[in-house]
Amino acid sequence: MGQQTHFGYETVDEKEKAGKVAEVFHSVASKYDIMNDLMSGGLHRIWKAFTIGRAAVRPGFKVLDIAGGTGDLSKAFARAAGPTGEVWLTDINESMLRVGRDRLLDAGIVTPTLLCDAEKLPFPSNYFDVVTVAFGLRNMTHKDAALAEMRRVIKPGGKVMVLEFSKVWQPLEKAYDAYSFKVLPWLGSRIAGDAESYRYLAESIRMHPDQEALKTMMEEVGLERVEYHNLTAGVVALHIGRKF
């Protein structure tokens, strides 16, 4: 038996996790945006807008959007970076990447898209001004390896930004748990025809490091001046680390 890791609450062999996560996102790709709107009441757009604002991408910037899904961040970054900039939309899941690429093309944006593993980024060191990962880190088997790769590819002075579900404010925990484990799978069943993938979503959030633990993890791979911003009472947090 090989090294063990978590797939939601299930313990699986590390070699199995990537395939199981891939199955989840192949299943939900076509309904990803509508489910995000329903699950968050549209708040995911505000969380992403906050991240885009804090990224402060300027003309000429090189930006890497990891696990970029349907391309919301990449679209904003490409417009901000302009024709002299360079924005890469990447994802490990082909179904998600196709949806994101098509959405960017529909918006009149032609920018590089690449199927790749965040734990083994195919980019030179010290290349990007900004690296982002939104709602993707918790699905990665070796989060520390992915974070180390993100640090490697940013320039000195650049920043890594992690937008992810986190630990909700304690007085809201019971209500949040009830919503996560009852309402989300029901929505998944009704809208996407897939309750299990949304049950995994709820479980994966609980297994992800909380705000302080993720801050420490980012510092341990060499990121500096790491800070985080709690959004919607800690349902989501944006972590930002820099390289000097």
Side-chain angles (χ1 to χ4, degrees):
M1 184 176 292
Q3 290 287 105
Q4 301 292 290
T5 190
H6 294 286
F7 176 74
Y9 289 161
E10 183 183 356
T11 299
V12 300
D13 191 282
E14 281 189 352
K15 295 178 181 178
E16 295 178 31
K17 180 171 179 175
K20 286 180 172 290
V21 171
E23 289 174 10
V24 168
F25 285 94
H26 285 312
S27 173
V28 305
S30 65
K31 300 288 186 179
Y32 190 75
D33 285 330
I34 188 170
M35 281 298 296
N36 278 350
D37 280 329
L38 288 171
M39 289 187 303
S40 71
L43 285 171
H44 76 101
R45 299 179 185 276
I46 296 173
W47 301 331
K48 290 172 183 174
F50 180 78
T51 303
I52 291 161
R54 294 290 297 183
V57 172
R58 300 194 299 272
F61 266 33
K62 292 182 172 68
V63 184
L64 174 60
D65 183 14
I66 293 173
T70 54
D72 290 340
L73 296 186
S74 289
K75 181 167 66 174
F77 293 150
R79 287 172 173 164
T84 60
E86 186 178 326
V87 177
W88 285 81
L89 169 64
T90 72
D91 206 293
I92 197 171
N93 186 275
E94 185 178 356
S95 298
M96 293 295 294
L97 191 64
R98 286 180 184 277
V99 172
R101 179 202 61 189
D102 291 348
R103 284 191 63 197
L104 290 172
L105 291 174
D106 288 345
I109 295 170
V110 179
T111 198
T113 59
L114 180 68
L115 189 72
C116 75
D117 184 345
E119 297 176 19
K120 301 171 185 176
L121 293 173
F123 298 103
S125 300
N126 306 312
Y127 190 76
F128 293 100
D129 297 284
V130 177
V131 173
T132 61
V133 55
F135 306 113
L137 185 66
R138 74 180 186 284
N139 297 311
M140 297 175 190
T141 304
H142 304 103
K143 297 176 181 62
D144 54 347
L147 290 168
E149 277 289 88
M150 294 176 209
R151 181 192 179 278
R152 178 184 67 79
V153 300
I154 58 170
K155 300 174 182 177
K159 55 191 172 187
V160 171
M161 308 180 69
V162 181
L163 180 67
E164 189 54 89
F165 292 107
S166 200
K167 187 171 179 60
V168 73
W169 185 42
Q170 194 274 332
L172 298 180
E173 281 184 356
K174 287 186 178 179
Y176 185 52
D177 284 348
Y179 175 76
S180 299
F181 290 103
K182 293 181 179 179
V183 178
L184 290 190
W186 180 83
L187 278 174
S189 176
R190 297 285 293 179
I191 305 301
D194 184 354
E196 286 304 311
S197 291
Y198 289 92
R199 189 169 290 110
Y200 161 73
L201 168 65
E203 293 176 357
S204 70
I205 292 169
R206 293 344 184 257
M207 300 304 295
H208 186 67
D210 65 17
Q211 289 90 331
E212 283 294 327
L214 181 54
K215 179 177 184 285
T216 298
M217 189 179 291
M218 293 174 71
E219 291 169 341
E220 287 176 344
V221 302
L223 289 162
E224 300 176 61
R225 285 170 50 189
V226 179
E227 60 180 319
Y228 62 82
H229 305 269
N230 281 321
L231 307 175
T232 316
V235 170
V236 166
L238 172 65
H239 284 68
I240 303 172
R242 293 167 175 82
K243 176 178 176 179
F244 295 104

